[in-house]
């Protein structure tokens, strides 16, 4: 019996032997699987962030724009002045407003997509939502300029409808519109995914218990959609925090946001250390936001 | 479930949102025919001359080719590393697992300008010249996250009993991987790859900081916007890309059953068996799972 | 994770102060004691075969197909241009991503000196540029690109920052910069989003408030600086948008959103070509300006194509084409008659017939430094300009 077993063992192929060895050593499998991606993230991503963080403590030679590795807190001290605090506050408020706007627009749309539309309709809507992402982001923002400018498409439409001319080009209102527009698909998709997963039986049960439609929506659907809203909000919030293209193209005289001030400090001002210091602000904000999102998600665990 | 009034209201809302989404797209397509090189409303005049200009423009071709090249390489890297990471996080319990999950979401959760500045600083510091290579590195970094999310979401919906059943039937680890795991992951890989490629193709913020003298298509568009002399050409190019991608996107949505979800109470189990459930909305699904803090099996 | 990040940071710190370049130049003319790092780099004796590519950093409008295509056909050097909207941006591009990426940069006077003293550009052999002998004498060896007898590039063209106005709002040309500070045009004014704009305001004050004693708009003492900043803060409510990109100002005027503002002649010419009713002028207080030089990057990957480019763009025909397109004055004496062929009267309109006198009237861009030209150390340096500008526009 033993002899046969030994001979059979030796007849096992090399590949099977490798996989057997791996099967027994979970840590080896884990290491092999995880090392490449982790190595990438450590060596490339984290290390880059560390370099940027270090740069935030340096200064720059004003004449030659080259970095001077003298350590100082001057950049951070400058951020805590009213000019930059206003800019940061303005950006955070805009991000919050855009997130709420997108959530409000997306929930009914996602509900329709997930629970009302036919299978064909759902696919068509899905394509319709994803398609704009393939038309260049820059071109879409630029198209809004012509729509919102004085005498532009929006104003022309309003006039034809008898509502009088509007001139909201180059204002923060314009920016709110454009941001909400650009990030909308990122909000729709997670909410749709969340709504789609709700089993019919839950809603039927709610009906059986006597709740009318609106009550079911309020007490069953919306809470279950919340994780999707939170997920989408991560994108809308962080994308608004760091965007510099929209403030530059669509913003007006009061549109200094974190993104374009950082960009200006790299380009026009040539002050990379200060730009890096400013960049720390969105990182800190987003870390808090992610922690908060995790908390909210944990409460809604399905 | 909804009343008639609610249904009509919803239909109007959906129509309104679709209008909102597509008016700028329509504007772009319209202004591709603009005879003047300055964008004003009403449109100055109609002309197809910019189509010829765009077709013959070597810079546009070069930029388009570079975008495709960078996108393909970045997606390839992302597929390998992203699925490996998803696999590792899903299957193994190890010290620092939560931290790793958080880390792997950062490139998408942090604004792009930060990734851009960070990479730029690092390349300068390490003395690496900005080139196609650095563009690909930048793109791959967030593409990995997209694929990771998609695959992880998919893996979470697959019952572990599948693997145990395969082992019970005598399959070795590698065999199981080839015949069970890969097919199950395939739709997540496809949708992840598509989303990653889309993000890379249209990416401008990180690319501004990681490109040298080369232009990807978005960089070329940004340059053209700065110049203001060939805006209709930009619209022509964008319209062309849009037309080019309508069919693949439609096919992808159909393949991954973006719409074909089951809504029964046994949805999860059925979803695992039929495969595509949720994969089409993989990114959103995964994002939901991230938000749910679902690190448990 | 944190450990890895921390150790990376320590590594970065340990690699310490090798990054910054040798010179810590502290003055515009106060650089007189310093030698440019590339001063002793040898120059080629002849121009070899083209390498097939040319990477430029240029102002918008400096690489138009009109003269780029013939160049590409004649030399086989495919041109790719990256646009920059300010001198600082050019300096940054050359410093950060520049080593071995770009061949040439069309830098203005203030950027010229910064590039020279940071070692990012190297001398050229001016004898390889045959058209140089046809340059106006004052542009052959100007102090912003010729140091110690070495030419760090060839002068290209120069021009003013003009007052752009809508003919509907101003039937006759405004004669004073006061119009952009006038509340009558609230919400209809636009100026560049560039800290160097402070100099334009200072120039205005130098003529309208002589008591401040401003002589050089780039060398401002603290009280002069404060007065200028307060004028700009008063202007802020009038501004519809601070333009970052030339095409933005074009859009603003095209749609009638703004009726007056500070611009480059490039915007005027593009608007007029598109049928807009605008014009530009230099008011009585004068104007700031820029004088551009095509400079050769120290690590240029395609130096032969670079030399061919300079040879090409200094020919009278291209000089004339560029001048008429952008609205500036060419360095080459022989361009004037060709300009009139391209656009009647343009030679006189852009002062190409009497450039030197015109040149002296413009206050060319200079990097504001702490050391004033008169040797004192109380001038406000550029970094404070940047901070003040963010405050103003905030």
């Amino acid at each position: 019996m033993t002899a046969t077993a030994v001979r059979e063992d030796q007849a096992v192929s090399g590949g099977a032997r490798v996989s057997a060895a791996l099967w027994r050593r979970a840590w080896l499998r884990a290491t092999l699987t995880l090392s490449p991606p982790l190595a990438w993230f450590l060596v490339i991503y984290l290390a880059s962030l560390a370099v940027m963080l270090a740069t935030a403590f340096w200064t720059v030679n004003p004449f030659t724009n080259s970095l001077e590795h003298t350590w100082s807190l001057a950049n951070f001290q400058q951020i805590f002045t009213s000019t930059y605090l206003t800019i940061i506050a303005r950006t955070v408020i805009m991000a919050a407003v855009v997130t709420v706007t997108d959530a409000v627009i997306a929930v009914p749309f996602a509900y329709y997509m997930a629970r009302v539309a036919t299978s064909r309709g759902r696919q068509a809507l899905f394509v319709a939502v994803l398609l704009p992402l393939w038309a260049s982001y820059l071109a879409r923002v630029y198209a809004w300029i012509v729509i919102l400018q004085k005498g532009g498409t929006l104003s022309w439409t309003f006039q034809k409808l008898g509502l009088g001319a509007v001139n909201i080009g180059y204002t923060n209102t314009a920016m709110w519109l454009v941001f909400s527009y650009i990030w909308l698909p990122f909000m729709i998709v997670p909410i749709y995914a969340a709504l789609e997963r709700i089993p019919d039986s839950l809603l039927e049960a709610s009906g059986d218990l006597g709740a009318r439609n609106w009550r079911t929506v309020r007490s069953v659907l919306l809470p279950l959609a919340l994780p999707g809203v939170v997920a989408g909000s991560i994108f809308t919030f962080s994308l608004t925090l760091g965007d510099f293209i929209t403030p530059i193209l669509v913003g007006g005289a009061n549109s200094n946001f974190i993104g374009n001030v950082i960009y200006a400090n790299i380009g026009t001002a040539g002050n990379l250390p200060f730009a890096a210091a400013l960049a720390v602000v969105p990182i800190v904000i987003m870390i808090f936001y992610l922690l908060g999102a995790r908390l909210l998600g944990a409460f809604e665990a399905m | 479930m909804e009343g008639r009034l609610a249904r009509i209201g919803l239909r109007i809302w959906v129509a309104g949102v679709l209008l909102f989404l597509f008016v700028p797209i329509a504007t772009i397509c319209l202004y591709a025919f603009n005879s003047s090189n300055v964008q004003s409303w009403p449109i100055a005049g109609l002309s197809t001359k910019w189509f010829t200009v765009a077709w013959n423009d070597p810079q546009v071709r070069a930029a388009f080719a570079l975008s495709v090249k960078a996108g393909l390489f970045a997606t390839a890297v992302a597929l390998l590393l992203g699925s490996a990471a998803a696999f590792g996080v899903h299957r193994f319990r190890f010290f620092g697992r939560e931290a790793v999950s958080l880390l792997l979401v950062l490139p998408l959760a942090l604004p792009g300008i930060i990734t851009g500045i960070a990479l730029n600083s690092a390349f300068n510091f390490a003395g690496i010249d900005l080139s196609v290579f650095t563009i690909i590195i930048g793109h791959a970094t967030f593409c990995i996250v997209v694929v990771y999310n998609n695959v992880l979401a998919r893996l979470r919906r697959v019952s572990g009993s599948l693997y145990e059943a395969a082992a019970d039937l005598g399959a070795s680890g590698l065999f199981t991987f080839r015949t069970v795991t890969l097919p199950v992951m395939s739709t997540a890989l496809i949708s992840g790859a598509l989303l990653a490629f889309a993000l890379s193709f249209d990416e401008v913020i990180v690319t501004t900081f990681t490109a040298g003298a080369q232009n990807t298509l978005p960089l070329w568009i940004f340059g053209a916007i700065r110049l203001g002399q060939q805006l209709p050409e930009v619209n022509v190019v964008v319209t062309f890309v849009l037309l080019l991608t309508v069919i693949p996107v439609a096919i992808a949505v159909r393949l991954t059953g973006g719409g074909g979800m089951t809504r029964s109470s046994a949805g999860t189990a059925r979803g695992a068996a039929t495969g595509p459930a949720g994969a089409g909305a993989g990114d959103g699904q995964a994002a939901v799972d991230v938000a749910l803090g679902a690190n448990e099996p | 994770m944190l450990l890895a990040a921390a150790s990376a940071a320590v590594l970065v710190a340990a690699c310490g102060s090798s990054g910054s370049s040798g010179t810590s130049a502290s003055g515009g003319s106060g650089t007189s004691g310093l030698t440019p790092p590339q001063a002793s780099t040898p120059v080629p004796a002849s121009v070899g075969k083209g390498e097939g590519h040319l990477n430029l950093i240029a102002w918008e409008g400096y690489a138009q197909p009109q003269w780029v295509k013939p160049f590409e056909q004649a030399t086989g050097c495919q041109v790719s241009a990256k646009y920059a909207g300010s001198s600082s941006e050019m300096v940054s591009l050359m410093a950060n991503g520049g080593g071995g990426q770009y061949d040439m940069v069309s830098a203005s006077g203030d950027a010229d000196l910064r590039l020279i003293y940071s070692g990012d550009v190297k001398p050229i052999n001016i004898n390889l540029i045959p058209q140089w002998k046809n340059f106006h004498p004052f542009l052959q060896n100007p102090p912003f690109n010729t140091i110690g007898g070495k030419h760090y590039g060839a002068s290209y063209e120069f021009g003013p920052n003009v007052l752009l106005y809508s003919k509907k709002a101003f039937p006759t040309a405004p004669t004073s910069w006061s119009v952009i500070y006038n509340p009558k045009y609230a919400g209809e004014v636009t100026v560049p989003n560039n800290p160097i704009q402070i100099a334009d305001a200072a120039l205005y004050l130098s003529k309208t408030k002589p008591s401040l004693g401003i002589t050089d708009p780039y060398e401002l003492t603290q009280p002069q600086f404060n007065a200028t900043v307060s004028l700009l803060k008063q202007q802020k409510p009038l501004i519809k948008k601070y333009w970052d990109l030339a095409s933005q100002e074009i859009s603003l005027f095209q749609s009638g959103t703004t009726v007056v503002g500070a611009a480059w002649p490039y915007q005027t010419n593009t608007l007029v070509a598109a049928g807009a009713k605008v014009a530009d002028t230099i008011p009585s207080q004068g104007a700031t300006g820029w004088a551009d030089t095509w400079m050769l990057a120290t690590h240029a990957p395609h130096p032969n194509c670079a030399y061919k480019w300079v040879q090409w763009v200094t020919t009278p025909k291209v000089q004339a084409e560029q001048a008429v397109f952008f609205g500036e004055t060419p360095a080459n004496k022989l361009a004037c008659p060709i300009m009139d062929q391209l656009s009647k009267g343009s030679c006189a309109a852009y002062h190409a017939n009497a450039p030197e006198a015109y040149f002296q009237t413009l206050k060319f861009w200079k990097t504001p430094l702490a050391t004033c030209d008169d040797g004192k150390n109380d001038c406000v340096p550029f970094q404070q300009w940047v901070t003040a500008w963010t405050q103003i526009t905030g």
Side-chain angles (χ1 to χ4, degrees):
Chain A
M1 189 57 180
T2 339
T4 345
V6 167
R7 246 178 284 132
E8 272 179 30
D9 230 40
Q10 285 169 335
V12 165
S13 75
R17 217 176 259 155
V18 169
S19 53
L22 285 177
W23 177 264
R24 268 182 229 117
R25 298 174 186 82
W27 61 266
L28 189 61
R29 267 162 39 231
T31 320
L32 281 175
T33 331
L34 283 166
S35 328
L38 276 187
W40 181 286
F41 269 75
L42 278 175
V43 171
I44 295 181
Y45 190 61
L46 272 189
S48 311
L49 283 178
V51 172
M52 186 187 87
L53 203 55
T55 317
F57 291 96
W58 293 342
T59 54
V60 74
N61 180 316
F63 195 65
T64 60
N65 266 11
S66 52
L67 291 174
E68 281 175 356
H69 301 223
T70 46
W71 297 85
S72 93
L73 281 174
N75 292 325
F76 290 99
Q77 282 167 337
Q78 209 183 357
I79 296 183
F80 282 95
T81 56
S82 71
T83 323
Y84 294 99
L85 288 176
T86 320
I87 293 174
I88 294 172
R90 187 186 292 140
T91 317
V92 171
I93 293 176
M94 173 66 82
V97 171
V98 167
T99 303
V100 168
T101 311
D102 271 345
V104 165
I105 297 180
V107 167
F109 189 90
Y111 177 81
Y112 185 87
M113 249 177 95
R115 314 211 67 92
V116 180
T118 61
S119 169
R120 262 259 172 85
R122 201 174 303 130
Q123 286 189 20
L125 282 176
F126 214 82
V127 172
V129 167
L130 289 184
L131 206 53
L133 295 179
W134 283 91
S136 159
Y137 157 69
L138 287 168
R140 285 182 288 150
V141 174
Y142 205 78
W144 275 103
I145 299 181
V146 113
I147 296 176
L148 295 177
Q149 70 189 9
K150 183 170 167 184
T153 322
L154 187 70
S155 180
W156 177 86
T157 317
F158 270 45
Q159 281 179 306
K160 288 271 186 278
L161 291 175
L163 294 169
V166 288
N167 182 9
I168 54 172
Y170 308 105
T171 56
N172 284 345
T173 316
M175 286 192 54
W176 162 68
L177 258 176
V178 176
F179 272 137
S180 306
Y181 167 79
I182 300 277
W183 313 138
L184 190 56
F186 294 108
M187 181 64 94
I188 291 180
V189 173
I191 299 181
Y192 163 73
L195 285 175
E196 184 268 326
R197 287 191 341 167
I198 300 175
D200 273 341
S201 55
L202 266 182
L203 303 170
E204 285 160 20
S206 162
D208 288 343
L209 287 168
R212 298 237 245 126
N213 289 341
W214 185 238
R215 182 75 205 274
T216 310
V217 166
R218 225 181 49 211
S219 311
V220 180
L221 261 175
L222 286 183
L224 288 175
L226 189 63
V229 176
V230 171
S233 73
I234 296 178
F235 293 117
T236 59
F237 204 80
S238 101
L239 289 167
T240 310
L241 270 189
D243 193 76
F244 59 87
I245 307 247
T246 307
I248 287 181
L249 288 181
V250 182
N254 282 313
S255 304
N256 266 347
F257 284 71
I258 295 180
N260 66 312
V261 172
I262 293 180
Y263 185 67
N265 271 290
I266 298 177
T268 334
N271 191 348
L272 182 62
F274 185 66
L278 264 179
V280 171
V281 174
I283 295 182
V284 168
I285 297 178
M286 278 320 294
I287 290 190
F288 277 112
Y289 199 90
L290 282 173
L291 291 175
R294 168 164 289 215
L295 274 175
L296 271 177
F299 283 143
E300 306 303 312
M302 273 149 78
Chain B
M1 188 203 97
E2 311 79 16
R4 266 215 75 200
L5 207 59
R7 234 175 234 263
I8 296 177
L10 273 178
R11 288 224 163 90
I12 298 179
W13 189 269
V14 167
V17 173
L18 285 176
L19 194 69
F20 185 50
L21 280 177
F22 279 92
V23 161
I25 312 272
T27 312
I28 294 175
C29 296
L30 174 64
Y31 277 83
F33 295 94
N34 193 359
S35 58
S36 157
N37 59 356
V38 177
Q39 288 196 160
S40 58
W41 179 268
I43 194 169
L46 294 173
S47 147
T48 56
K49 68 178 180 214
W50 296 101
F51 284 84
T52 347
V53 172
W55 187 256
N56 294 326
D57 191 341
Q59 302 231 342
V60 172
R61 286 164 184 257
F64 187 82
L66 184 61
S67 277
V68 170
K69 182 174 167 188
L72 286 176
F73 275 101
T75 308
V77 171
L79 278 176
L80 285 170
L81 297 182
S83 43
F87 219 67
V89 167
H90 177 72
R91 290 291 293 269
F92 306 111
R93 262 160 255 356
F94 52 91
F95 174 72
R97 195 167 167 233
E98 287 232 353
V100 169
S101 305
L102 187 66
L103 172 66
L104 285 169
V105 174
L106 277 185
L108 277 191
L110 292 183
I113 191 171
I114 290 175
T115 314
I117 303 179
L119 287 175
N120 185 293
S121 309
F123 290 138
N124 273 333
F125 183 76
I128 300 178
D129 269 348
L130 299 179
S131 66
V132 184
F133 180 61
T134 54
I135 296 178
I136 293 177
I137 292 182
H139 285 198
T141 308
F142 56 79
C143 287
I144 291 177
V145 178
V146 169
V147 174
Y148 163 78
N149 273 338
N150 267 281
V151 176
L152 188 62
R154 190 76 197 87
L155 286 175
R156 285 205 179 118
R157 295 161 72 91
V158 172
S159 157
S161 57
L162 273 177
Y163 305 112
E164 286 157 21
D168 288 343
L169 288 168
S172 72
L174 258 94
F175 191 79
T176 315
F177 182 76
R178 233 182 36 199
T179 52
V180 180
T181 321
L182 269 187
V184 155
M185 280 193 344
S186 65
T187 49
L189 287 176
I190 295 179
S191 70
L194 275 171
L195 200 59
F197 187 80
L199 281 183
S200 157
F201 196 75
D202 192 33
E203 215 292 319
V204 67
I205 295 189
V206 174
T207 324
T208 315
F209 295 101
T210 53
Q214 317 72 23
N215 272 341
T216 55
L217 197 60
L219 285 182
W220 176 83
I221 293 179
F222 196 42
I225 286 182
R226 294 191 79 126
L227 193 59
Q229 295 287 337
Q230 357 155 215
L231 291 167
E233 192 185 352
V234 172
N235 291 329
V236 167
V237 171
V238 171
T239 310
F240 175 70
V241 170
L242 204 55
L243 288 176
L244 207 61
T245 55
V246 171
I247 311 243
V249 168
I251 293 182
V253 167
R254 172 158 278 219
L255 257 187
T256 59
M261 315 292 171
T262 59
R263 284 204 237 133
S264 72
S265 46
T268 318
R270 277 250 229 116
T274 54
D283 187 51
Q285 184 67 63
V288 172
D289 286 343
V290 167
L292 292 178
N295 266 325
E296 59 287 354
Chain C
M1 211 67 45
L2 279 169
L3 206 61
S7 38
V10 168
L11 202 68
V12 162
C15 292
S17 39
S18 50
S20 50
S21 60
T23 63
S24 53
S26 52
S29 57
T31 56
S32 52
L34 300 149
T35 331
Q38 297 295 328
S40 35
T41 307
V43 293
S46 63
V47 180
K49 197 159 166 288
E51 298 93 346
H53 286 280
L54 181 64
N55 297 329
L56 305 173
I57 301 177
W59 297 101
E60 287 99 333
Y62 271 32
Q64 291 303 104
Q66 196 181 357
W67 52 89
V68 163
K69 283 230 186 318
F71 171 76
E72 288 175 334
Q73 279 165 353
T75 62
C77 301
Q78 292 306 308
V79 174
S80 93
K82 187 145 279 194
Y83 300 116
S86 74
S87 290
S88 284
E89 218 176 315
M90 291 187 170
V91 175
S92 288
L93 274 173
M94 288 293 285
N96 286 335
Q101 287 288 320
Y102 301 102
D103 299 297
M104 304 213 84
V105 55
S106 66
S108 302
D110 57 333
D112 290 354
L113 290 177
R114 292 160 75 178
L115 289 167
I116 294 173
Y117 283 102
S118 68
D120 287 323
V121 294
K122 63 183 177 190
I124 66 167
N125 184 349
I126 204 69
N127 298 319
L128 295 175
I129 314 295
Q131 285 296 329
W132 181 77
K133 57 184 192 304
N134 292 326
F135 280 12
H136 293 287
F138 67 97
L139 284 175
Q140 283 179 327
N141 315 296
F144 51 80
N145 66 32
T146 308
I147 311 235
K150 299 210 187 275
H151 293 88
Y152 290 85
S155 303
Y156 186 49
E157 314 224 354
F158 67 90
N161 293 310
V162 293
L163 178 68
L164 174 61
Y165 63 92
S166 146
K167 289 207 258 199
K168 245 202 304 183
F170 297 90
T172 52
T175 52
S176 163
W177 281 105
S178 61
V179 291
I180 65 171
Y181 303 105
N182 188 343
K184 178 165 169 221
Y185 304 102
E188 296 181 302
V189 183
T190 179
V191 296
N193 190 6
N194 188 337
I196 208 78
Q197 267 306 106
I198 296 178
D200 288 66
L203 178 63
Y204 173 71
L205 283 180
S206 72
K207 299 287 182 338
T208 55
K209 277 221 187 107
S211 55
L212 283 172
I214 300 176
T215 48
D216 184 335
Y218 302 96
E219 297 189 349
L220 304 172
T221 59
Q222 199 65 51
Q224 294 169 339
F225 187 73
N226 294 343
T228 315
V229 168
S230 105
L231 171 67
L232 286 166
K233 285 195 174 149
Q234 283 170 16
Q235 185 195 41
K236 164 82 189 296
L238 313 176
I239 303 280
K240 178 65 175 174
K241 180 165 179 70
Y242 291 93
W243 60 268
D244 302 87
L245 314 170
S247 61
Q248 288 184 314
E249 192 171 29
I250 295 173
S251 271
L252 284 167
F253 275 87
Q254 180 76 13
S255 60
T257 311
T258 53
V259 299
V260 68
W264 306 330
Y266 171 69
Q267 281 88 307
T268 322
N269 291 359
T270 310
L271 282 163
V272 168
K277 306 242 179 310
V278 299
D280 64 32
T281 176
I282 298 181
S284 58
Q285 295 89 4
T288 55
W290 24 267
D292 296 332
T293 307
W294 276 109
M295 312 188 101
L296 179 64
T298 305
H299 301 290
H302 316 104
N304 291 327
C305 278
Y307 270 95
K308 288 178 192 284
W309 173 256
V310 179
Q311 289 170 342
W312 173 247
V313 296
T314 47
T315 55
K317 181 155 184 285
V318 177
Q319 288 266 302
E321 288 173 338
Q322 173 76 82
V324 169
F325 180 79
F326 201 93
E328 48 186 352
T329 313
N332 195 326
K333 287 189 285 217
L334 306 177
C336 176
I338 309 183
M339 282 171 75
D340 276 333
Q341 278 171 16
L342 292 170
S343 163
K344 207 140 179 281
S346 58
C347 181
Y350 300 126
H351 306 269
N353 51 356
E356 181 152 15
Y358 174 55
F359 188 86
Q360 302 301 339
T361 64
L362 295 177
K363 298 282 185 206
F364 289 102
W365 282 342
K366 228 163 79 169
T367 309
L369 296 162
T371 48
C372 315
D373 264 343
D374 56 7
K376 291 211 285 256
N377 254 349
D378 56 352
C379 283
V380 178
F382 190 55
Q383 274 193 312
Q384 263 185 265
W385 286 46
V386 175
T387 319
W389 187 254
T390 317
Q391 259 184 349
I392 295 167
T393 59

